[in-house]
Amino acid sequence: MSLAELICPAGTPAALRTAVDAGADAVYCGFQDATNARNFPGLNFTPEELAASVAYAHDKGAKVLLALNTYPPAGKVDLWRQAADTGARLGVDAFIVADMGVADYIARTHPGIRLHLSVQAAASSPEAIRYYCENFGVRRVVLPRILTIPEIRQIRREIPCEIETFIFGNHGLMVEGRCSLTNYLTGQSTNMDGVCSPASDVAYARHEDGSMSSQLAGFTIDCFGPAEKAGYPTICKGRYTAPHRPEGYYAFEEPVSLNLSRLLPELIEAGVHAFKIEGRQRSKSYVRGVVTAFRRAVDDIRAGRPANMADLVALTEGQKQTQGAFETKKWR
Amino acid sequence: MSLSAHSAPHATRPGTAVVSRLACTLVQPLLSRVVRRIADRHPSLFARLGPHQTTDFLIDPVELPFALHLRPDPQALVFRAVPRDAAPRGGAVIRGRFMLLLELIDSEEDGDAAFFSRDLEVSGDTEAVVRLRNALDDIDGSIAEETAAMFGPPGRAILARLRRAYDAHPKESTAR
């Protein structure tokens, strides 16, 4: 049986402490800059905060994984290298990387620290994953959310590293690390600046009939009816009209969150080593609720009991949840 | 980013203007004391606010007869009750039931979830709202309980009663 480590999000030091106290085996976080894919206003850690957080986590037996999972623009690698050096100095347990240049720098400069391959690398075949393992010493891959459990089981047999899968949270299926939709509208890059739908470009308007529209960079991307649940203002989950669909439809994806609570035993059996909870941009309340629920479920499974899983639908985007491709490729 | 016409505060009902102004006058000394205390105890939250320390936030608890105007500038802190028809325009607007807003400040509720369920409305400067949310979320402990404790046993009793009422009816309509 795999260890089924619980990898939990933290956008602030208080959220990190909340995750550790709720039972996280490891917490992932990032600095207050473009080196990570949640470079949101007011979020993330200063080096001083990370130092104190690493001490707190280690004191309680939890690990800290530093996300350096964006892509440096060509020739501008200093920020990523400095972040890696700082993380190493502060004692993080692993780096989560996507870019080969960043991976290569860390492998050469800090060979004693584990490298995890971010979902942003979009490595979904044994050949791709083995390349990162062989060339940079990657010890774990975070798989894109496009694979079925039988496919994960097969990949596990063909790769020399651990597998981490998302089990809860945002369900973005664009080719991860390759999505340029935000860049197209705002000029800021999800992959290089770490900002998907930057808040400075987002606007909401409530209308007289109680409906609410969301806009990104002046483009309306959805309008929710008075009684309709809302989603994030991301282009990939926007609702659009088209000549063949004048009523408006979700052209790419729907506002819905991943929840694999019912598939945990199958994922463990397939050889998944670690379960990742998405949501560094979410509150301590979310972290506390989701981590506590999955801690209990994983402990139940480890003890041979049926998992006693809390209902988390109130925390999901659009208050809808899916098992996505993990259940079937026909999920949409 | 300016507020659209649709995101302006809800119109004040006829006849409530006098009540609103009276309520503002009564609560203002408490608000000044509360915000000064919070700023003194949690100075780190100003760093996360960054450039939005001088942004005007209108916090609108829909069932109260007034809204709250916050400008979290550590050099000139503003937290005042304002009649809705005299609220500042521009900046950021956060609207919901009073206890929901209080639970969000304390991170007892998740802001994104409240937004998804439409119990929380945001308009105006979205980045300012995100920064304020993240700054408050990094505070350990309960601002509501700290505030209640300032007023001794009566304060704590009132908070406990409000929480019981909220827990009993968390989804009560925010419509006025």
Side-chain angles (χ1 to χ4, degrees):
Chain A
M1 180 183 275
S2 80
L3 291 174
E5 282 182 23
L6 213 49
I7 314 299
C8 305
T12 63
L16 182 142
R17 293 190 291 274
T18 299
V20 169
D21 293 348
D25 293 305
V27 182
Y28 64 105
C29 54
F31 286 128
Q32 294 175 352
D33 56 34
T35 58
N36 75 94
R38 286 286 184 268
N39 181 21
F40 294 172
L43 204 68
N44 294 324
F45 292 63
T46 64
E48 294 74 23
E49 289 170 343
L50 185 61
S53 299
V54 168
Y56 185 89
H58 286 177
D59 190 47
K60 302 223 170 181
K63 296 172 183 158
V64 176
L65 318 181
L66 182 63
L68 303 176
N69 58 344
T70 44
Y71 292 86
K76 297 180 179 175
V77 297
D78 286 354
L79 186 64
W80 281 258
R81 290 182 176 185
Q82 288 165 10
D85 294 344
T86 303
R89 177 170 52 81
L90 299 178
V92 300
D93 298 281
F95 295 108
I96 306 170
V97 301
D99 179 75
M100 289 186 195
V102 175
D104 182 66
Y105 176 78
I106 293 172
R108 291 174 191 276
T109 313
H110 306 292
I113 302 179
R114 287 171 62 100
L115 270 180
H116 294 182
L117 190 63
S118 170
V119 70
Q120 286 289 96
S124 58
S125 70
E127 292 80 6
I129 297 165
R130 279 201 301 267
Y131 181 85
Y132 287 97
C133 295
E134 291 165 4
N135 288 280
F136 310 113
V138 161
R139 306 277 294 277
R140 179 183 295 177
V141 58
V142 184
L143 290 179
R145 287 157 272 199
I146 58 171
L147 300 164
T148 63
I149 293 179
E151 287 173 329
I152 293 171
R153 185 182 296 111
Q154 184 60 37
I155 287 173
R156 178 69 193 92
R157 293 191 187 111
E158 299 181 39
I159 61 172
C161 72
E162 300 164 355
I163 285 179
E164 182 173 309
T165 58
F166 282 93
I167 55 169
F168 191 84
N170 185 36
H171 192 234
L173 295 187
M174 308 305 289
V175 180
E176 290 171 285
R178 311 287 187 272
C179 176
S180 294
L181 290 174
T182 282
N183 199 346
Y184 178 66
L185 284 195
T186 71
Q188 293 196 70
S189 167
T190 303
N191 309 313
M192 290 188 281
D193 299 309
V195 282
C196 175
S197 290
S200 56
D201 285 297
V202 172
Y204 300 106
R206 183 183 190 276
H207 303 290
E208 293 298 332
D209 65 354
S211 63
M212 177 191 72
S213 59
S214 55
Q215 293 189 332
L216 184 68
F219 293 90
T220 299
I221 55 179
D222 210 335
C223 185
F224 303 98
E228 205 173 9
K229 306 302 180 191
Y232 282 123
T234 56
I235 306 168
C236 62
K237 296 187 177 182
R239 188 163 36 179
Y240 307 101
T241 57
H244 67 296
R245 299 289 293 271
E247 76 283 9
Y249 78 117
Y250 290 105
F252 304 106
E253 304 177 31
E254 296 175 29
V256 60
S257 290
L258 185 72
N259 185 352
L260 301 187
S261 56
R262 286 191 295 159
L263 296 180
L264 296 181
E266 289 94 325
L267 290 165
I268 292 172
E269 183 273 328
V272 173
H273 184 95
F275 293 142
K276 186 166 214 151
I277 295 167
E278 186 276 343
R280 285 195 283 136
Q281 75 284 11
R282 301 290 291 264
S283 67
K284 283 183 301 192
S285 171
Y286 168 95
V287 169
R288 187 186 308 117
V290 178
V291 175
T292 300
F294 278 102
R295 176 78 278 157
R296 188 181 305 133
V298 167
D299 288 348
D300 282 343
I301 293 166
R302 279 172 164 171
R305 299 186 295 265
N308 177 17
M309 191 69 206
D311 183 359
L312 298 173
V313 72
L315 294 170
T316 58
E317 183 176 4
Q319 300 202 327
K320 286 186 291 186
Q321 50 194 1
T322 178
Q323 297 180 132
F326 292 85
E327 182 182 30
T328 170
K329 292 273 189 182
K330 297 178 180 175
W331 73 278
R332 276 205 74 188
Chain B
M1 187 183 298
S2 62
L3 296 180
S4 72
H6 295 302
S7 57
H10 295 214
T12 304
R13 287 173 180 162
T16 61
V18 174
V19 174
S20 177
R21 279 162 174 75
L22 183 62
C24 291
T25 306
L26 289 172
V27 301
Q28 190 53 54
L30 304 180
L31 295 177
S32 301
R33 200 173 144 200
V34 164
V35 76
R36 212 165 289 126
R37 166 95 168 204
I38 293 168
D40 289 345
R41 288 176 64 94
H42 305 286
S44 63
L45 71 83
F46 293 107
R48 288 194 182 273
L49 284 166
H52 291 289
Q53 292 179 353
T54 53
T55 294
D56 288 311
F57 293 87
L58 188 70
I59 301 164
D60 189 0
V62 293
E63 68 273 58
L64 297 192
F66 52 80
L68 299 163
H69 169 212
L70 170 70
R71 189 187 303 137
D73 180 352
Q75 307 305 320
L77 206 51
V78 173
F79 191 44
R80 62 189 181 108
V82 289
R84 290 189 172 82
D85 58 5
R89 300 301 170 100
V93 181
I94 303 165
R95 182 176 291 122
R97 291 179 66 207
F98 173 71
M99 275 308 293
L100 171 65
L101 297 173
L102 204 57
E103 297 292 72
L104 289 171
I105 288 170
D106 273 358
S107 207
E108 290 297 322
E109 294 266 5
D110 178 69
D112 289 15
F115 174 80
F116 298 148
S117 67
R118 307 286 298 280
D119 291 321
L120 180 72
E121 286 182 22
V122 168
S123 55
D125 191 331
T126 308
E127 179 177 301
V129 175
V130 172
R131 276 197 179 270
L132 180 62
R133 193 281 303 267
N134 289 333
L136 290 169
D137 205 59
D138 194 35
I139 290 177
D140 283 322
S142 164
I143 287 179
E145 286 171 16
E146 282 179 26
T147 304
M150 289 170 62
F151 303 99
R156 283 189 281 265
I158 290 169
L159 178 62
R161 186 172 174 182
L162 286 170
R163 282 193 163 145
R164 278 196 300 274
Y166 178 71
D167 290 342
H169 305 285
K171 291 291 178 188
E172 203 164 271
S173 170
T174 59
R176 290 178 300 146

